[in-house]
Amino acid sequence: MAQVIIIGGGIVGLSSALYLRKAGYSVRVLDQGNLEEGCSFGNAGMIVPSHFIPLAAPGMVAKGIRWMFNSESPFYVRPRLSADLIGWGWKFYRHANSRHVDKSMPALTALNLYSKKQYQEWAATLPFDFGFQERGLLMLYHDPHLEKEEQETAELAEKMGIEARVLSLPQIQALEPDVRVSARGGVYYPGDAHLTPGTLMKNLLQHLRDSGVSIEGNTHVHSFDGDGHTIKSVRTTRGVFTADHWVVAAGSWSGWLATALGVTLPMQAGKGYSFLLKDVPRNTRIPTIFLEARVAVTPMGPNLRFGGTMEISGINHTINMNRVRGIVNSISRYYPDMKVEMPSPRDVWHGLRPCSPDGLPYIGRLKRRDNVIIASGHAMMGLSLGPGTGRLVSDLVEGKEPEVDLAPFDPNRYS
Ligand SMILES: Cc1cc2nc3c(=O)[nH]c(=O)nc-3n(C[C@H](O)[C@H](O)[C@H](O)COP(=O)(O)OP(=O)(O)OC[C@H]3O[C@@H](n4cnc5c(N)ncnc54)[C@H](O)[C@@H]3O)c2cc1C
């Protein structure tokens, strides 16, 4: 039986493990962490085919610069003399234009819809519940400029085959009967979905173990050994592992691992925070994004999760409570009757989103390392795109024609 090693046990690595095991491979997942708290565990749980516009889009650079001077703003780049950051920033700037957006939209839509289909199959066939609900997504706004932007996005969505409805406040309130909403209006994307990410990850790990996948936590991969273009083994903090095929699904650390493979894969970590309100007596029903604040709000059973901020500040785990305050302060503007206290730092979760500079993930085989596949860089949509990516990774290992065009996601595009 051919052996596959997957480096990284986030949603992308575990989804790849699921499909590869199904296809009959002997699969091992190596992760440097404890597989309990990484980026795939405490995120906002939204499955978002409505998000077909890449982060690198017109206006983002100017918005980013404005936000940088407000300590409670949702976006921040810590200025530092790092060649990686400067190179990444320059590439982001070069891609933040409408030509790039026009080219990327169909690719992101196809991957998103394909991935949501996999979640529907998982919900119907996997032997555990992960809170998957297809109730759509509401985008709320107060500002007339954001109203115009979001309504233009809704028109584009319809052209891409994604249903979008512009709603007045009374129509929004009818969708949210238990919580008073304040907004100028909103756009509703009925095709989006949500789930409880921690429950999904915990159960998926157990299911993979039960299916014979070997999962090794606390195992940091630090170098590769090979023969010409073929990788034969990795050295880790827990010894050497060999395999026939390799999948790098190492999230924000994938750029570093690519360098160890002799390949350029620009990547920055985009830190975000979340916290959970437990047992909310009058909870919301529909996952919602507060557009001005860029805060995501998701009902998870009786609980309500708030998430947000994007800090490009390198790989670090410090919690900036000013930005958490920005999230808390935004809540009463949209839900005036909901009283939310500042959480204590120990109740704030953080995750590092793996961000490519053009806003498109990297999915494909490396040209210079013929038995290595990269699956990373999904930024704000990794949970949404994980299952689809995993299935495409398995197709590549099996030598099958993938069902989604992978050309826009080529991991060799910066090499
Ligand atoms: C606040 C917040 C809210 C979000 N909300 C959503 C949402 O609603 N919907 C959505 O689609 N996405 C959301 N995201 C984004 C999503 O969480 C990420 O895109 C996704 O989790 C990335 O998954 P991944 O498997 O690529 O990486 P990760 O989950 O980071 O997994 C990578 C793994 O690789 C391991 N690793 C790295 N280097 C090595 C090494 N050298 N050796 C061994 N192991 C290694 C790491 O330990 C890690 O466990 C959100 C993110 C944040 C922060």
Side-chain angles (χ1 to χ4, degrees), residues 352-369:
L352 300 175
R353 304 174 185 92
C355 301
S356 67
D358 54 13
L360 297 177
Y362 301 108
I363 309 169
R365 195 178 282 285
L366 287 181
K367 275 197 192 119
R368 293 169 59 192
R369 304 281 174 226

Side-chain angles (χ1 to χ4, degrees), residues 7-13 30-33 38-40 42-48 219-222 249-253 256-257 270-274 307-308 349-354 375-385:
I7 305 171
I11 185 64
V12 176
L30 306 178
D31 198 290
Q32 64 191 6
C39 194
S40 300
N43 59 60
M46 294 176 174
I47 308 306
V48 285
T219 307
H220 171 71
V221 173
H222 52 74
S252 294
W253 296 263
W256 181 85
L257 279 169
K271 197 198 294 169
Y273 304 110
S274 79
W349 171 90
H350 73 281
L352 300 175
R353 304 174 185 92
S376 190
H378 299 72
M380 297 145 81
M381 293 186 283
L383 183 77
S384 304
L385 302 178

Side-chain angles (χ1 to χ4, degrees), residues 131-182:
F132 183 68
Q133 304 262 357
E134 296 188 70
R135 293 201 204 143
L137 174 72
L138 261 172
M139 310 290 277
L140 297 184
Y141 42 75
H142 286 278
D143 180 339
H145 296 293
L146 283 177
E147 174 180 49
K148 185 167 170 282
E149 255 178 41
E150 194 55 33
Q151 293 188 0
E152 284 168 4
T153 305
E155 277 169 32
L156 270 178
E158 289 284 348
K159 285 192 192 137
M160 306 297 306
I162 307 274
E163 192 184 345
R165 294 182 210 150
V166 176
L167 301 185
S168 63
L169 183 56
Q171 288 171 313
I172 293 165
Q173 199 59 81
L175 286 174
E176 282 298 2
D178 294 327
V179 173
R180 186 158 73 90
V181 178
S182 163

Side-chain angles (χ1 to χ4, degrees), residues 55-261:
L55 195 59
M60 275 312 288
V61 173
K63 254 184 211 163
I65 291 170
R66 263 200 323 274
W67 274 330
M68 271 180 71
F69 297 100
N70 174 354
S71 67
E72 291 186 11
S73 77
F75 182 75
Y76 175 69
V77 181
R78 179 154 60 87
R80 55 196 197 280
L81 274 178
S82 142
D84 282 354
L85 176 64
I86 293 165
W88 186 95
W90 175 243
K91 290 180 183 75
F92 185 96
Y93 172 75
R94 294 285 306 269
H95 284 96
N97 59 61
S98 48
R99 201 163 43 89
H100 172 66
V101 170
D102 289 348
K103 234 172 55 189
S104 306
M105 285 189 314
L108 282 175
T109 305
L111 184 58
N112 243 315
L113 291 174
Y114 181 67
S115 200
K116 186 185 147 197
K117 203 167 89 190
Q118 312 311 314
Y119 270 126
Q120 287 168 323
E121 268 182 42
W122 288 15
T125 57
L126 288 180
F128 56 86
D129 178 32
F130 52 95
F132 183 68
Q133 304 262 357
E134 296 188 70
R135 293 201 204 143
L137 174 72
L138 261 172
M139 310 290 277
L140 297 184
Y141 42 75
H142 286 278
D143 180 339
H145 296 293
L146 283 177
E147 174 180 49
K148 185 167 170 282
E149 255 178 41
E150 194 55 33
Q151 293 188 0
E152 284 168 4
T153 305
E155 277 169 32
L156 270 178
E158 289 284 348
K159 285 192 192 137
M160 306 297 306
I162 307 274
E163 192 184 345
R165 294 182 210 150
V166 176
L167 301 185
S168 63
L169 183 56
Q171 288 171 313
I172 293 165
Q173 199 59 81
L175 286 174
E176 282 298 2
D178 294 327
V179 173
R180 186 158 73 90
V181 178
S182 163
R184 183 181 173 87
V187 175
Y188 178 51
Y189 295 93
D192 282 12
H194 69 285
L195 53 82
T196 307
T199 308
L200 169 69
M201 292 297 290
K202 191 168 149 229
N203 284 297
L204 187 53
L205 272 165
Q206 191 54 49
H207 176 68
L208 290 170
R209 287 191 175 106
D210 295 345
S211 317
V213 172
S214 159
I215 313 257
E216 320 269 353
N218 302 313
T219 307
H220 171 71
V221 173
H222 52 74
S223 57
F224 296 85
D225 290 310
D227 175 1
H229 280 199
T230 306
I231 296 300
K232 301 274 188 203
S233 59
V234 287
R235 293 181 208 200
T236 80
T237 43
R238 291 187 48 243
V240 172
F241 293 86
T242 56
D244 305 298
H245 305 272
W246 302 88
V247 179
V248 176
S252 294
W253 296 263
S254 303
W256 181 85
L257 279 169
T259 306
L261 283 161

